[in-house]
Amino acid sequence: MTHEDYLDRVTQYIKDDSEELTQFKAITTYHSGKYDDDASWKSLNEYSTENENKRGCPQGQRNRVYYMALPPSVFVPVAKGLKKNVYVQDGVNRLIVEKPFGMDTESSNELGREIGALFTENEIYRIDHYLGKEMVKNVMTMRFSNIFFSQIWDRKYIDNVQITFKETIGTEGRGGYFDDFGIVRDVMQNHLLQVLSLIAMERPISTESEAIRDEKVKVLKCIPPITTDDALLGQYVAANGKPGYLDDDTLKNKQSRTPTFAALTLWIQNERWEGVPFIMKAGKALDAAKVEIRIQFRNVAGSLYKGAPRNELVMRVQPREAVYIKFNNKQPGLSYGTIQSDLDLSYHDRFTDMKIPDAYESLILDVLRNDHSNFVRDDELETAWNIFTPLLHQIDQRTDLPLHNYPYGSRGPAELEAFVRKYGYDRSNANYSWPVQSVSHANNSNKL
């Protein structure tokens, strides 16, 4: 790839054609080499030093950030090449490591030991881009800056919590890669578990990065390994003119039992959350593309209004960030019946002239600021793998584990509704519509 090809590639989606883009291109360079070749790494170091000299970077401030978005098999060789040949002694070094961080507890720990022998924990940034999403970063602010949430955020008032990840596309030519990981490793052990930890953790003593990460580790240690009794697995099949998972040309194993959908229930064994199911749902080739957190509260004790639906707090992570609370209201008009409505904070309606930065923009800025708050610590990573590894080994090894087919473009396996219902989720508000709701039927019933 030539320098011009590189510039075309990295700027192809930038719509701005201002002077700033020209300046960006002037300081953006490309240098190629081999992962396992010392000469290539020495050449990169010389190239970087030359650039630093041209830009007038003073001695002692020649700081370098290394971003490893690579196959896990070359993480260690690349880290060794960087440390031996490119690591600066008179500046700051920071290493960003993109997932996957191993395949299970053992492989993750081995990877951690090898990279930890080269870089200190303070230099390592294990990036999970979900921690850079606006609504995920908002969880702590919502919980700990609003007194009414802090008073109802426990098992006394909350019945169940659902964290949902849905994609409308299948593997679409990535089946060869996806088959080695599956939906649980790809999305749930990392992205969704990070969201869960922010919802469930205790209040940290401060907003310092280590205080936040300490509380995340504490709550994750209260979660026992997931059992197969608390799991529903699925794999999509051809429907609506779309191919099934096993039809992917890049898939080598045409009898693969890798799940493309999973619903898993986790239990937190502490005073705040004992008995409250945390249900994770994630899948490909579904009917909608969205990520949301749905907290359903308990029924009103001795309610005067029989059949009134439960209250819910919904945080829409994507698309179109929003927070809304579903609550019961008197039907408009002459009726005294109840209707479910909402208190709605939709970001794109409320905040004008707003540009929410991409998650990676936010996280890379955190690296430059030396802020570890939104990055995964080594003990946190190990604890997360401990929760999932026993289940993952059963998925990998057992051929008798139920794997339910579901049509491309559906809500998931037909068994999903019964699965979430057995953990107490109440869909009595199924006729509710967000963000706009018609009351024409209610108004007609009010006529004399």
Side-chain angles (χ1 to χ4, degrees):
M1 182 165 59
T2 66
H3 179 67
E4 288 69 26
D5 292 337
Y6 166 75
L7 289 178
D8 289 342
R9 184 169 180 176
V10 299
T11 61
Q12 61 181 317
Y13 298 113
I14 299 177
K15 297 177 182 178
D16 187 359
D17 196 22
S18 66
E19 179 62 27
E20 287 184 348
L21 180 58
T22 303
Q23 293 173 1
F24 172 73
K25 288 181 177 180
I27 62 171
T28 304
T29 58
Y30 170 76
H31 189 78
S32 64
K34 296 180 180 179
Y35 295 145
D36 56 354
D37 178 28
D38 266 357
S40 293
W41 291 113
K42 289 176 182 177
S43 174
L44 174 62
N45 183 56
E46 292 168 0
Y47 187 71
S48 299
T49 302
E50 181 183 338
N51 277 330
E52 290 162 346
N53 291 335
K54 286 180 180 178
R55 296 176 193 176
C57 296
Q59 294 293 329
Q61 296 182 24
R62 300 194 169 194
N63 307 324
R64 295 180 179 179
V65 175
Y66 318 106
Y67 194 136
M68 295 203 304
L70 301 165
S73 58
V74 298
F75 277 176
V76 174
V78 168
K80 287 180 177 178
L82 288 170
K83 184 60 185 285
K84 181 180 179 181
N85 301 291
V86 191
Y87 190 95
V88 291
Q89 301 297 331
D90 60 344
V92 173
N93 297 271
R94 290 172 187 162
L95 179 72
I96 304 175
V97 185
E98 183 72 78
K99 77 173 185 74
F101 313 116
M103 298 287 284
D104 55 15
T105 303
E106 184 180 356
S107 60
S108 175
N109 286 348
E110 178 61 25
L111 181 62
R113 280 191 294 271
E114 294 198 62
I115 293 180
L118 302 166
F119 291 84
T120 67
E121 180 64 22
N122 192 53
E123 291 174 326
I124 300 171
Y125 292 76
R126 299 172 191 85
I127 194 167
D128 184 325
H129 75 277
Y130 262 61
L131 290 175
K133 289 186 176 292
E134 180 68 23
M135 195 54 65
V136 175
K137 292 194 294 184
N138 192 34
V139 171
M140 271 189 58
T141 307
M142 278 191 56
R143 281 193 60 188
F144 301 121
S145 67
N146 296 295
I147 192 168
F148 52 87
F149 283 137
S150 66
Q151 299 304 306
I152 61 174
W153 210 265
D154 59 25
R155 61 190 175 91
K156 183 178 178 181
Y157 296 100
I158 292 176
D159 186 88
N160 61 81
V161 178
Q162 294 190 60
I163 306 170
T164 302
F165 171 98
K166 299 175 74 171
E167 283 188 333
T168 54
I169 60 172
T171 53
E172 323 272 310
R174 292 179 64 247
Y177 166 83
F178 183 85
D179 205 53
D180 290 334
F181 295 93
I183 197 69
V184 179
R185 287 186 177 95
D186 194 39
V187 174
M188 305 178 88
Q189 181 274 339
N190 36 66
H191 301 330
L192 301 194
L193 190 65
Q194 287 297 316
V195 174
L196 181 151
S197 67
L198 291 169
I199 296 169
M201 72 180 191
E202 296 298 316
R203 189 181 114 166
I205 60 173
S206 73
T207 56
E208 295 295 320
S209 59
E210 293 312 305
I212 294 169
R213 300 202 293 183
D214 284 345
E215 294 304 329
K216 289 169 66 181
V217 173
K218 286 179 186 177
V219 76
L220 291 177
K221 286 184 175 180
C222 294
I223 303 175
I226 304 166
T227 68
T228 55
D229 291 337
D230 287 326
L232 174 70
L233 307 175
Q235 188 183 91
Y236 69 87
V237 295
N240 305 311
K242 296 287 190 176
Y245 175 66
L246 299 181
D247 300 324
D248 192 317
D249 291 337
T250 64
L251 190 66
K252 296 178 181 178
N253 179 12
K254 295 301 182 180
Q255 283 75 47
S256 171
R257 290 178 50 81
T258 298
T260 60
F261 176 94
L264 308 176
T265 302
L266 289 74
W267 304 92
I268 302 175
Q269 297 176 346
N270 65 12
E271 185 178 4
R272 182 183 294 273
W273 297 114
E274 184 73 35
V276 176
F278 283 73
I279 306 167
M280 292 182 180
K281 299 180 294 181
K284 291 183 171 293
L286 298 176
D287 60 332
K290 69 176 182 179
V291 179
E292 70 175 24
I293 304 159
R294 183 175 298 268
I295 299 172
Q296 187 173 76
F297 294 88
R298 297 191 182 278
N299 292 319
V300 176
S303 176
L304 298 173
Y305 302 95
K306 302 302 180 185
R310 291 175 172 178
N311 301 129
E312 290 185 354
L313 168 64
V314 181
M315 302 181 70
R316 176 69 62 88
V317 178
Q318 66 184 45
R320 298 182 68 86
E321 295 86 348
V323 182
Y324 58 97
I325 300 174
K326 297 163 73 169
F327 74 106
N328 297 309
N329 195 51
K330 174 189 168 297
Q331 278 187 5
L334 300 174
S335 171
Y336 281 91
T338 59
I339 189 171
Q340 189 161 61
S341 186
D342 55 62
L343 301 173
D344 178 14
L345 170 59
S346 292
Y347 276 42
H348 289 80
D349 295 331
R350 174 65 178 175
F351 304 117
T352 59
D353 301 323
M354 174 196 63
K355 178 188 179 297
I356 295 177
D358 179 81
Y360 282 104
E361 291 180 61
S362 174
L363 291 173
I364 291 173
L365 181 59
D366 285 343
V367 174
L368 299 178
R369 290 171 169 168
N370 194 30
D371 183 354
H372 282 83
S373 302
N374 296 311
F375 296 86
V376 182
R377 202 167 64 189
D378 54 353
D379 55 341
E380 182 182 353
L381 180 61
E382 181 178 11
T383 305
W385 275 118
N386 288 339
I387 296 168
F388 282 87
T389 291
L391 176 66
L392 287 167
H393 284 176
Q394 293 205 56
I395 293 173
D396 293 341
Q397 296 164 13
R398 285 179 54 182
T399 58
D400 62 330
L401 208 59
L403 184 68
H404 305 276
N405 289 336
Y406 63 96
Y408 196 119
S410 66
R411 291 186 65 244
E415 296 79 5
L416 176 60
E417 187 165 347
F419 179 85
V420 296
R421 191 167 54 242
K422 80 176 183 178
Y423 296 104
Y425 179 65
D426 183 355
R427 284 184 59 84
S428 61
N429 57 356
N431 294 326
Y432 165 86
S433 178
W434 177 85
V436 178
Q437 187 171 1
S438 171
V439 293
S440 59
H441 175 72
N443 288 335
N444 289 335
S445 67
N446 291 335
K447 291 180 179 178
L448 298 174

